[in-house]
Amino acid sequence: MKGKAIHELAVGDSASTAKTISESDVYMYAGITGDFNPAHVDEQYATGTRFGERIAHGMLSAGLISAVIGTQLPGPGTIYMGQDLKFTAPVHIGDTITATIIVKEVDVERNRAVLKTVCLNQNGKKVIDGVARVMVPN
Amino acid sequence: MSEPFYIPYERISVGDKAELSVTLSEAQVDEFSALIGDTDSFHVTDAAAEQTVFGKRICHGVHLLAYVSVLVGQKLPGFGTIYCDHTFAFHNPVYLGQGIRVTVTVLEKLPHRRLRMDTTITREDGAPVLTGQTVVKTYR
């Protein structure tokens, strides 16, 4: 499967994916990356933090952004060049996160695009805000 | 239980540095793909990778970033650190099985126990992979 070519992208195009972040997602992420920060894997500790319970790793939600870019918009073949990523609220186990990509700028000459990247929880609260820079090969 | 390792804000100085080395296996990349829902990209299939400039499968950029988070959460500042934001650029791919070194350096002490840190990832052959800056909040 091939993604969109640079000339097929228009400012305002958007795509999204949603996923409920389960306890097993958090432990799988911890197992793959070795990130066993107690805020993510120790409920006893987490109840004493300002979050009140275990929270998901920020990069797990950022991974959903990566998945939308790599599978939908622009899609397969897109190269992730960089990003400004802001973690604006915690993600709790059981939250449903919707990652949305909106095309902001298209540079056909240089095969580059700038995408707005936002993750919202089930209450519409923004948990990640940012902008990604990608290269879209022909 | 002893208290987990962390460096309190007042004991951190500009220039403090920490690093870790890691190698991502094919199995880790496959598991990460499944976790984030990447079912169809040049990270997952050899055929798709052969059509890219990379020629072979490479690790997800966001997977590499996870190790910046590991480093700040385990070594500098350590336990209880909150990741606030991260601005970064990628320069070279990391192929499956290729080692990387992740480095963070304190650039500036900000109010409210926050730190601005430089973040770099370098490949074992010396090629730069990522440069960027992050803001984190220390535990104490």
Side-chain angles (χ1 to χ4, degrees):
Chain A
M1 184 181 153
K2 267 203 166 323
K4 286 194 170 186
I6 189 77
H7 64 268
E8 294 173 309
L9 289 183
V11 171
D13 283 356
S14 70
S16 63
T17 192
K19 179 174 164 109
T20 303
I21 306 295
S22 69
E23 183 176 20
S24 98
D25 288 329
V26 172
Y27 282 80
M28 220 175 125
Y29 180 96
I32 296 167
T33 63
D35 191 342
F36 288 92
N37 186 319
H40 309 304
V41 299
D42 182 341
E43 182 70 16
Q44 202 69 28
Y45 160 78
T47 49
T49 67
R50 67 189 175 98
F51 303 121
E53 57 182 359
R54 284 169 296 170
I55 58 168
H57 303 77
M59 237 21 107
L60 184 49
S61 301
L64 301 182
I65 293 172
S66 166
V68 179
I69 293 172
T71 64
Q72 294 186 54
L73 185 71
T78 306
I79 298 168
Y80 194 35
M81 306 290 292
Q83 170 131 31
D84 303 335
L85 199 57
K86 195 166 283 208
F87 297 99
T88 51
V91 172
H92 298 274
I93 290 170
D95 280 357
T96 299
I97 303 302
T98 302
T100 301
I101 307 300
I102 304 163
V103 178
K104 277 185 68 175
E105 292 170 32
V106 180
D107 181 346
V108 177
E109 300 270 293
R110 297 172 65 231
N111 287 61
R112 304 285 170 99
V114 177
L115 314 170
K116 184 173 169 58
T117 62
V118 184
C119 291
L120 302 179
N121 70 14
Q122 65 281 5
N123 302 317
K125 188 171 176 63
K126 200 178 280 183
V127 298
I128 290 185
D129 199 2
V131 171
R133 290 169 289 279
V134 298
M135 192 163 100
V136 188
N138 280 329
Chain B
M1 194 179 115
S2 63
E3 186 153 40
F5 176 79
Y6 69 93
I7 308 173
Y9 178 79
E10 72 270 16
R11 283 182 32 218
I12 292 173
S13 309
V14 170
D16 285 357
K17 197 172 170 175
E19 60 179 45
L20 70 78
S21 295
V22 65
T23 301
L24 299 192
S25 66
E26 181 175 5
Q28 279 168 297
V29 173
D30 287 344
E31 286 168 9
F32 192 83
S33 302
L35 180 62
I36 65 171
D38 179 2
T39 53
D40 183 18
S41 79
F42 54 74
H43 302 291
V44 188
T45 64
D46 290 331
E50 282 161 14
Q51 290 173 28
T52 67
V53 292
F54 308 124
K56 290 185 295 184
R57 291 168 61 194
I58 63 168
C59 305
H60 292 85
V62 70
H63 190 171
L64 302 175
L65 287 169
Y67 297 96
V68 175
S69 177
V70 168
L71 184 55
V72 299
Q74 292 180 354
K75 292 189 179 175
L76 180 67
F79 174 80
T81 303
I82 297 169
Y83 205 12
C84 303
D85 66 47
H86 198 175
T87 297
F88 51 87
F90 288 106
H91 308 288
N92 282 291
V94 176
Y95 294 96
L96 310 194
Q98 208 166 28
I100 55 167
R101 173 169 296 177
V102 186
T103 309
V104 296
T105 310
V106 178
L107 293 176
E108 187 183 1
K109 294 183 78 172
L110 304 171
H112 309 296
R113 301 202 318 273
R114 287 172 192 245
L115 304 169
R116 180 179 306 284
M117 303 175 96
D118 178 76
T119 63
T120 64
I121 299 180
T122 309
R123 230 162 51 182
E124 60 192 357
D125 62 3
V129 173
L130 172 138
T131 51
Q133 284 189 15
T134 185
V135 173
V136 302
K137 183 167 185 173
T138 60
Y139 176 50
R140 290 275 159 77

